Amino acid sequence: PRMDGALTVWVDATRMDAAKLYQKLHPDAKLDIVSYDGDANGSNYLQTKVQLFNRTGKGWPDVVFSSQNNEASWAVQAGFAAPLNKGLIPDATLGGFAKGANDVCTVDGTLYCLRNDLSQAVLWYNAPLLKQFGYTVPTTWEDYQALGETVAKEHPGYLVGDAGDTFTPEIYLWASKCGANHITGPKAVSVNTTSEACTKMAKLMDVLIKNKSMSISGVFSTDFGKNKARKVLLMPGPAWYGGAVFEGTFKTPAKQIAVAPIPQWQGETSPSTGNVGGGTWLLSKHSAHIKAATDFLKWVTTDNAYQGAKAPGFPAYAPAADNWLKAQAASGYFASDLTALKDASSQVWSDWGSGQFSQEAIWAATVKPGLTQGKSIESLLPAWQDSIVKYAQADGYKVAK
């Protein structure tokens, strides 16, 4: 039962610690903390519930965390998200967020959510293993592919990447500036999955999947944890891989994992990377506790107590990010400094948008089954195109090719 006058906060399992820490540091605040899936993999749980609450006229959470960056694409229309830059959150605070971090929260110049963490992709690698094998960190995709081919011959079983997750396109194809998901207006998208930017990355991945230096089992699968976690030489992936995947899931010992910039295509003059999730916080327009809700929202996204010290991901709020990087360095876990993470935070390619449809759900439905059957990514690009178009149109988007 809901506590009378309590602030109802919805979080996923990972953000539970943040809500509990706020409660501990603010003993007078009354919090009703509810755990839900965080809309993981585009489950649309929040949207479905909000539609129900809108019909019954009650039940909305005051503040909610989502692991997705596309909630503003429906939550504004549904009359759920409160505008934050109209006096609720001071401009000075908003100015502290990383460049572009809150673009996914902005509709027609009004801000409707705050970004929790950035999930810029970088190149994670096992430093002692790389040294032992006598290899150097690749800086271009061409060198990366060549290294994958060498590894397959000289150290079969070792991996330079993984293509088994539903967010795979957000790591590789986004970084390659593949125009699969260019949101051009509130309900407009252009989709082109067969341009050179897409096909050359698909070809690279196909070579490495075929020679097994790139896995297709997914980093969170039991198979990966059991058989492949110890065999990771390189792994392009988002900022949160350091803590959540290597330290948490793989239990990779300290002083092995290092981080470098994600490779770029030869001759590329404006470095680009992809992004996997990151998450956002929304405040309900229906909240009867606007002041308490705003206090919580501001604390959870900017305060060093959680974001700067304990958060698993790279904070979107720049002063907290600096603190976080210092804390990560001081932890003694990483084998290198984390400059590459900071640099990548402003290099996420901006033409891959956050539409209402979930790219992860689309990839899972269209490309992943084909991969499992041994089809090449390149051969699946047209099917991926058709699928994105169908999903987008189903959500009322006007599609240009």
Short mmCIF file of all heavy atoms in Angstrom, two decimals, residues 39 44 46-47 64 66-84 101-115 183 185-187 279-283 354-357 397:
data_model
loop_
_atom_site.label_atom_id
_atom_site.label_comp_id
_atom_site.label_asym_id
_atom_site.label_seq_id
_atom_site.Cartn_x
_atom_site.Cartn_y
_atom_site.Cartn_z
N ASP A 39 12.08 -0.62 -18.08
CA ASP A 39 11.83 -0.65 -19.52
C ASP A 39 12.97 -1.29 -20.31
O ASP A 39 13.20 -0.97 -21.48
CB ASP A 39 11.54 0.76 -20.09
CG ASP A 39 10.05 1.09 -20.03
OD1 ASP A 39 9.26 0.17 -19.71
OD2 ASP A 39 9.68 2.24 -20.28
N ASN A 44 8.47 -1.34 -22.73
CA ASN A 44 7.32 -0.41 -22.75
C ASN A 44 6.43 -0.52 -21.52
O ASN A 44 5.27 -0.11 -21.54
CB ASN A 44 6.45 -0.59 -24.01
CG ASN A 44 7.14 -0.03 -25.23
OD1 ASN A 44 7.99 0.84 -25.12
ND2 ASN A 44 6.81 -0.55 -26.39
N LEU A 46 6.52 1.09 -18.66
CA LEU A 46 6.13 2.41 -18.15
C LEU A 46 5.01 3.02 -18.99
O LEU A 46 4.00 3.50 -18.46
CB LEU A 46 7.35 3.33 -18.12
CG LEU A 46 7.10 4.78 -17.66
CD1 LEU A 46 6.59 4.83 -16.22
CD2 LEU A 46 8.37 5.62 -17.81
N GLN A 47 5.18 2.97 -20.30
CA GLN A 47 4.16 3.55 -21.20
C GLN A 47 2.81 2.87 -21.01
O GLN A 47 1.77 3.54 -20.91
CB GLN A 47 4.63 3.42 -22.65
CG GLN A 47 3.73 4.16 -23.63
CD GLN A 47 4.19 4.00 -25.07
OE1 GLN A 47 5.19 3.35 -25.34
NE2 GLN A 47 3.45 4.59 -25.99
N VAL A 64 10.50 8.63 -11.96
CA VAL A 64 10.75 7.29 -12.49
C VAL A 64 12.08 7.26 -13.25
O VAL A 64 12.42 8.20 -13.96
CB VAL A 64 9.56 6.81 -13.36
CG1 VAL A 64 9.34 7.71 -14.55
CG2 VAL A 64 9.76 5.38 -13.81
N SER A 66 14.27 5.33 -16.17
CA SER A 66 14.14 4.41 -17.29
C SER A 66 15.51 4.12 -17.86
O SER A 66 16.34 5.02 -17.98
CB SER A 66 13.27 5.01 -18.39
OG SER A 66 13.41 4.24 -19.57
N SER A 67 15.75 2.88 -18.22
CA SER A 67 17.02 2.51 -18.83
C SER A 67 17.05 2.90 -20.31
O SER A 67 18.04 2.72 -20.99
CB SER A 67 17.25 1.00 -18.70
OG SER A 67 16.29 0.30 -19.46
N GLN A 68 15.93 3.46 -20.81
CA GLN A 68 15.83 3.85 -22.21
C GLN A 68 15.98 5.36 -22.38
O GLN A 68 15.67 6.12 -21.46
CB GLN A 68 14.48 3.42 -22.79
CG GLN A 68 14.16 1.94 -22.61
CD GLN A 68 15.14 1.03 -23.32
OE1 GLN A 68 15.34 1.15 -24.53
NE2 GLN A 68 15.76 0.12 -22.59
N ASN A 69 16.43 5.77 -23.56
CA ASN A 69 16.58 7.21 -23.83
C ASN A 69 15.43 7.76 -24.66
O ASN A 69 15.48 8.90 -25.10
CB ASN A 69 17.89 7.46 -24.58
CG ASN A 69 19.09 7.18 -23.69
OD1 ASN A 69 19.02 7.37 -22.48
ND2 ASN A 69 20.18 6.74 -24.28
N ASN A 70 14.41 6.95 -24.91
CA ASN A 70 13.35 7.41 -25.83
C ASN A 70 12.01 7.67 -25.16
O ASN A 70 11.00 7.80 -25.83
CB ASN A 70 13.18 6.38 -26.96
CG ASN A 70 12.70 5.03 -26.44
OD1 ASN A 70 12.61 4.82 -25.25
ND2 ASN A 70 12.41 4.12 -27.35
N GLU A 71 11.99 7.78 -23.84
CA GLU A 71 10.70 7.95 -23.16
C GLU A 71 10.01 9.28 -23.52
O GLU A 71 8.78 9.34 -23.60
CB GLU A 71 10.85 7.85 -21.64
CG GLU A 71 11.52 6.57 -21.13
CD GLU A 71 10.72 5.29 -21.34
OE1 GLU A 71 9.71 5.29 -22.07
OE2 GLU A 71 11.12 4.26 -20.76
N ALA A 72 10.81 10.32 -23.76
CA ALA A 72 10.21 11.62 -24.09
C ALA A 72 9.38 11.55 -25.38
O ALA A 72 8.46 12.34 -25.58
CB ALA A 72 11.29 12.69 -24.23
N SER A 73 9.70 10.55 -26.23
CA SER A 73 8.99 10.44 -27.50
C SER A 73 7.51 10.10 -27.34
O SER A 73 6.73 10.30 -28.25
CB SER A 73 9.68 9.39 -28.40
OG SER A 73 9.52 8.10 -27.87
N TRP A 74 7.12 9.57 -26.18
CA TRP A 74 5.68 9.33 -25.93
C TRP A 74 5.19 10.02 -24.66
O TRP A 74 4.03 10.40 -24.55
CB TRP A 74 5.38 7.82 -25.83
CG TRP A 74 6.05 7.17 -24.65
CD1 TRP A 74 7.26 6.53 -24.66
CD2 TRP A 74 5.61 7.16 -23.28
NE1 TRP A 74 7.59 6.12 -23.38
CE2 TRP A 74 6.59 6.48 -22.53
CE3 TRP A 74 4.47 7.64 -22.64
CZ2 TRP A 74 6.49 6.29 -21.14
CZ3 TRP A 74 4.36 7.44 -21.26
CH2 TRP A 74 5.36 6.77 -20.53
N ALA A 75 6.09 10.21 -23.67
CA ALA A 75 5.67 10.68 -22.34
C ALA A 75 5.17 12.13 -22.34
O ALA A 75 4.41 12.54 -21.47
CB ALA A 75 6.80 10.52 -21.34
N VAL A 76 5.63 12.90 -23.34
CA VAL A 76 5.18 14.29 -23.44
C VAL A 76 3.75 14.30 -23.98
O VAL A 76 2.85 14.92 -23.41
CB VAL A 76 6.12 15.09 -24.37
CG1 VAL A 76 5.62 16.53 -24.52
CG2 VAL A 76 7.55 15.09 -23.80
N GLN A 77 3.56 13.56 -25.07
CA GLN A 77 2.24 13.44 -25.68
C GLN A 77 1.20 12.88 -24.70
O GLN A 77 0.05 13.29 -24.70
CB GLN A 77 2.34 12.46 -26.86
CG GLN A 77 2.05 13.08 -28.20
CD GLN A 77 2.21 12.03 -29.29
OE1 GLN A 77 2.96 11.06 -29.16
NE2 GLN A 77 1.50 12.22 -30.39
N ALA A 78 1.65 11.94 -23.87
CA ALA A 78 0.74 11.29 -22.92
C ALA A 78 0.45 12.18 -21.71
O ALA A 78 -0.28 11.79 -20.80
CB ALA A 78 1.33 9.96 -22.46
N GLY A 79 1.07 13.37 -21.69
CA GLY A 79 0.83 14.29 -20.58
C GLY A 79 1.41 13.78 -19.28
O GLY A 79 0.92 14.10 -18.19
N PHE A 80 2.48 12.97 -19.35
CA PHE A 80 3.06 12.41 -18.14
C PHE A 80 4.27 13.21 -17.66
O PHE A 80 4.39 13.54 -16.48
CB PHE A 80 3.45 10.95 -18.35
CG PHE A 80 4.22 10.36 -17.19
CD1 PHE A 80 3.61 10.19 -15.95
CD2 PHE A 80 5.56 9.99 -17.33
CE1 PHE A 80 4.33 9.67 -14.87
CE2 PHE A 80 6.27 9.46 -16.25
CZ PHE A 80 5.65 9.31 -15.03
N ALA A 81 5.20 13.52 -18.57
CA ALA A 81 6.46 14.16 -18.19
C ALA A 81 6.29 15.65 -17.92
O ALA A 81 5.71 16.37 -18.73
CB ALA A 81 7.51 13.92 -19.28
N ALA A 82 6.80 16.09 -16.79
CA ALA A 82 6.74 17.52 -16.45
C ALA A 82 7.90 18.26 -17.11
O ALA A 82 9.00 17.72 -17.18
CB ALA A 82 6.81 17.69 -14.94
N PRO A 83 7.66 19.49 -17.59
CA PRO A 83 8.76 20.29 -18.14
C PRO A 83 9.72 20.70 -17.02
O PRO A 83 9.28 21.18 -15.98
CB PRO A 83 8.06 21.50 -18.76
CG PRO A 83 6.73 21.57 -18.12
CD PRO A 83 6.37 20.20 -17.65
N LEU A 84 11.01 20.50 -17.25
CA LEU A 84 11.99 20.72 -16.17
C LEU A 84 12.73 22.04 -16.27
O LEU A 84 13.25 22.54 -15.28
CB LEU A 84 13.01 19.57 -16.16
CG LEU A 84 12.42 18.15 -16.02
CD1 LEU A 84 13.52 17.10 -16.13
CD2 LEU A 84 11.66 18.00 -14.70
N ALA A 101 23.98 15.70 -23.86
CA ALA A 101 23.47 14.61 -23.01
C ALA A 101 21.95 14.61 -22.91
O ALA A 101 21.31 13.55 -22.92
CB ALA A 101 24.08 14.69 -21.61
N ASN A 102 21.36 15.80 -22.82
CA ASN A 102 19.91 15.88 -22.63
C ASN A 102 19.12 16.10 -23.92
O ASN A 102 17.91 16.37 -23.87
CB ASN A 102 19.57 16.98 -21.60
CG ASN A 102 19.89 16.53 -20.17
OD1 ASN A 102 19.75 15.35 -19.85
ND2 ASN A 102 20.34 17.45 -19.34
N ASP A 103 19.79 15.96 -25.07
CA ASP A 103 19.08 16.11 -26.34
C ASP A 103 17.92 15.12 -26.44
O ASP A 103 16.86 15.46 -26.97
CB ASP A 103 20.03 15.88 -27.54
CG ASP A 103 21.01 17.04 -27.71
OD1 ASP A 103 20.93 18.01 -26.93
OD2 ASP A 103 21.86 16.96 -28.62
N VAL A 104 18.12 13.91 -25.92
CA VAL A 104 17.08 12.89 -26.01
C VAL A 104 15.86 13.24 -25.15
O VAL A 104 14.79 12.65 -25.30
CB VAL A 104 17.60 11.48 -25.59
CG1 VAL A 104 18.69 11.01 -26.52
CG2 VAL A 104 18.08 11.47 -24.14
N CYS A 105 16.04 14.22 -24.27
CA CYS A 105 14.97 14.62 -23.35
C CYS A 105 14.26 15.88 -23.80
O CYS A 105 13.34 16.36 -23.14
CB CYS A 105 15.56 14.88 -21.96
SG CYS A 105 16.16 13.40 -21.14
N THR A 106 14.71 16.44 -24.91
CA THR A 106 14.23 17.75 -25.34
C THR A 106 13.24 17.64 -26.49
O THR A 106 13.53 17.01 -27.50
CB THR A 106 15.43 18.64 -25.74
OG1 THR A 106 16.40 18.59 -24.69
CG2 THR A 106 15.00 20.07 -25.96
N VAL A 107 12.07 18.21 -26.31
CA VAL A 107 11.05 18.23 -27.36
C VAL A 107 10.67 19.68 -27.60
O VAL A 107 10.20 20.37 -26.68
CB VAL A 107 9.80 17.40 -26.95
CG1 VAL A 107 8.74 17.46 -28.04
CG2 VAL A 107 10.19 15.95 -26.66
N ASP A 108 10.90 20.15 -28.82
CA ASP A 108 10.62 21.54 -29.18
C ASP A 108 11.19 22.54 -28.17
O ASP A 108 10.51 23.47 -27.73
CB ASP A 108 9.09 21.78 -29.33
CG ASP A 108 8.52 21.01 -30.52
OD1 ASP A 108 9.28 20.78 -31.48
OD2 ASP A 108 7.33 20.65 -30.48
N GLY A 109 12.42 22.30 -27.76
CA GLY A 109 13.11 23.24 -26.87
C GLY A 109 12.77 23.11 -25.39
O GLY A 109 13.36 23.79 -24.55
N THR A 110 11.82 22.23 -25.08
CA THR A 110 11.46 22.03 -23.67
C THR A 110 12.06 20.72 -23.18
O THR A 110 12.04 19.70 -23.88
CB THR A 110 9.93 22.02 -23.48
OG1 THR A 110 9.40 23.27 -23.95
CG2 THR A 110 9.55 21.84 -22.01
N LEU A 111 12.61 20.76 -21.97
CA LEU A 111 13.30 19.59 -21.40
C LEU A 111 12.34 18.77 -20.54
O LEU A 111 11.73 19.31 -19.61
CB LEU A 111 14.47 20.08 -20.55
CG LEU A 111 15.41 19.04 -19.99
CD1 LEU A 111 16.23 18.38 -21.10
CD2 LEU A 111 16.35 19.67 -18.96
N TYR A 112 12.21 17.49 -20.85
CA TYR A 112 11.22 16.66 -20.14
C TYR A 112 11.83 15.49 -19.35
O TYR A 112 11.09 14.69 -18.79
CB TYR A 112 10.20 16.10 -21.13
CG TYR A 112 9.26 17.15 -21.67
CD1 TYR A 112 9.49 17.74 -22.90
CD2 TYR A 112 8.16 17.56 -20.93
CE1 TYR A 112 8.63 18.71 -23.41
CE2 TYR A 112 7.29 18.54 -21.43
CZ TYR A 112 7.54 19.10 -22.66
OH TYR A 112 6.69 20.05 -23.16
N CYS A 113 13.14 15.37 -19.34
CA CYS A 113 13.76 14.36 -18.49
C CYS A 113 15.21 14.75 -18.30
O CYS A 113 15.70 15.67 -18.96
CB CYS A 113 13.64 12.94 -19.07
SG CYS A 113 14.32 12.64 -20.72
N LEU A 114 15.90 14.08 -17.39
CA LEU A 114 17.33 14.32 -17.20
C LEU A 114 18.07 13.02 -17.44
O LEU A 114 17.66 11.95 -16.97
CB LEU A 114 17.63 14.83 -15.79
CG LEU A 114 17.17 16.25 -15.45
CD1 LEU A 114 17.51 16.58 -14.00
CD2 LEU A 114 17.79 17.29 -16.39
N ARG A 115 19.16 13.12 -18.16
CA ARG A 115 19.97 11.95 -18.47
C ARG A 115 20.68 11.49 -17.21
O ARG A 115 21.26 12.29 -16.47
CB ARG A 115 20.97 12.34 -19.56
CG ARG A 115 21.72 11.20 -20.18
CD ARG A 115 20.86 10.39 -21.16
NE ARG A 115 21.67 9.37 -21.79
CZ ARG A 115 22.37 9.55 -22.91
NH1 ARG A 115 22.34 10.72 -23.51
NH2 ARG A 115 23.08 8.58 -23.41
N ILE A 183 16.50 10.29 -36.55
CA ILE A 183 15.23 10.94 -36.22
C ILE A 183 15.31 12.40 -36.69
O ILE A 183 16.15 13.16 -36.23
CB ILE A 183 14.94 10.87 -34.70
CG1 ILE A 183 15.01 9.44 -34.19
CG2 ILE A 183 13.59 11.52 -34.38
CD1 ILE A 183 13.93 8.50 -34.68
N GLY A 185 12.52 14.53 -36.97
CA GLY A 185 11.46 15.37 -36.41
C GLY A 185 10.73 14.56 -35.36
O GLY A 185 11.01 13.38 -35.18
N PRO A 186 9.77 15.17 -34.63
CA PRO A 186 9.07 14.45 -33.57
C PRO A 186 8.47 13.12 -34.05
O PRO A 186 8.42 12.15 -33.31
CB PRO A 186 7.96 15.41 -33.15
CG PRO A 186 8.49 16.77 -33.51
CD PRO A 186 9.33 16.57 -34.74
N LYS A 187 8.03 13.07 -35.32
CA LYS A 187 7.46 11.83 -35.84
C LYS A 187 7.99 11.55 -37.25
O LYS A 187 7.25 11.16 -38.15
CB LYS A 187 5.92 11.93 -35.87
CG LYS A 187 5.28 11.68 -34.51
CD LYS A 187 5.38 10.21 -34.11
CE LYS A 187 4.74 9.97 -32.74
NZ LYS A 187 4.87 8.57 -32.33
N GLY A 279 20.05 5.75 -19.85
CA GLY A 279 18.95 5.96 -18.92
C GLY A 279 18.62 7.42 -18.63
O GLY A 279 19.44 8.32 -18.77
N THR A 280 17.38 7.63 -18.22
CA THR A 280 16.85 8.96 -17.98
C THR A 280 15.93 8.94 -16.76
O THR A 280 15.41 7.88 -16.38
CB THR A 280 16.02 9.42 -19.20
OG1 THR A 280 15.12 8.36 -19.59
CG2 THR A 280 16.91 9.74 -20.39
N TRP A 281 15.76 10.11 -16.16
CA TRP A 281 14.83 10.28 -15.03
C TRP A 281 13.71 11.22 -15.45
O TRP A 281 13.97 12.29 -16.00
CB TRP A 281 15.54 10.88 -13.83
CG TRP A 281 16.54 9.97 -13.18
CD1 TRP A 281 17.87 9.88 -13.48
CD2 TRP A 281 16.31 9.04 -12.12
NE1 TRP A 281 18.47 8.94 -12.67
CE2 TRP A 281 17.53 8.41 -11.81
CE3 TRP A 281 15.16 8.68 -11.39
CZ2 TRP A 281 17.66 7.44 -10.82
CZ3 TRP A 281 15.29 7.71 -10.38
CH2 TRP A 281 16.53 7.11 -10.11
N LEU A 282 12.49 10.82 -15.20
CA LEU A 282 11.33 11.66 -15.52
C LEU A 282 10.59 12.02 -14.24
O LEU A 282 10.56 11.24 -13.28
CB LEU A 282 10.36 10.91 -16.45
CG LEU A 282 10.86 10.56 -17.84
CD1 LEU A 282 11.49 9.17 -17.84
CD2 LEU A 282 9.73 10.59 -18.85
N LEU A 283 10.00 13.19 -14.26
CA LEU A 283 9.19 13.65 -13.14
C LEU A 283 7.75 13.78 -13.62
O LEU A 283 7.50 14.34 -14.68
CB LEU A 283 9.74 15.01 -12.68
CG LEU A 283 9.27 15.60 -11.36
CD1 LEU A 283 10.36 16.52 -10.80
CD2 LEU A 283 7.99 16.40 -11.52
N SER A 354 16.77 8.73 -30.87
CA SER A 354 16.04 7.92 -29.90
C SER A 354 14.56 7.98 -30.21
O SER A 354 13.82 8.73 -29.59
CB SER A 354 16.30 8.43 -28.48
OG SER A 354 17.65 8.26 -28.15
N GLY A 355 14.14 7.20 -31.20
CA GLY A 355 12.73 7.17 -31.57
C GLY A 355 11.93 6.36 -30.57
O GLY A 355 12.48 5.74 -29.67
N GLN A 356 10.63 6.34 -30.78
CA GLN A 356 9.75 5.61 -29.86
C GLN A 356 9.94 4.10 -29.98
O GLN A 356 9.83 3.37 -29.01
CB GLN A 356 8.30 5.99 -30.16
CG GLN A 356 7.34 5.62 -29.05
CD GLN A 356 5.94 6.13 -29.33
OE1 GLN A 356 5.77 7.20 -29.90
NE2 GLN A 356 4.94 5.37 -28.94
N PHE A 357 10.24 3.66 -31.19
CA PHE A 357 10.45 2.22 -31.43
C PHE A 357 11.83 1.82 -30.89
O PHE A 357 12.77 2.61 -30.92
CB PHE A 357 10.35 1.91 -32.93
CG PHE A 357 11.11 2.88 -33.79
CD1 PHE A 357 12.40 2.60 -34.19
CD2 PHE A 357 10.52 4.08 -34.18
CE1 PHE A 357 13.12 3.51 -34.97
CE2 PHE A 357 11.23 5.00 -34.96
CZ PHE A 357 12.53 4.70 -35.35
N TYR A 397 5.40 7.09 -37.39
CA TYR A 397 6.49 7.89 -37.97
C TYR A 397 6.36 7.94 -39.49
O TYR A 397 5.98 6.97 -40.14
CB TYR A 397 7.86 7.29 -37.62
CG TYR A 397 8.33 7.61 -36.23
CD1 TYR A 397 7.77 6.96 -35.12
CD2 TYR A 397 9.31 8.59 -36.02
CE1 TYR A 397 8.20 7.27 -33.83
CE2 TYR A 397 9.72 8.90 -34.73
CZ TYR A 397 9.17 8.25 -33.64
OH TYR A 397 9.58 8.55 -32.37
#
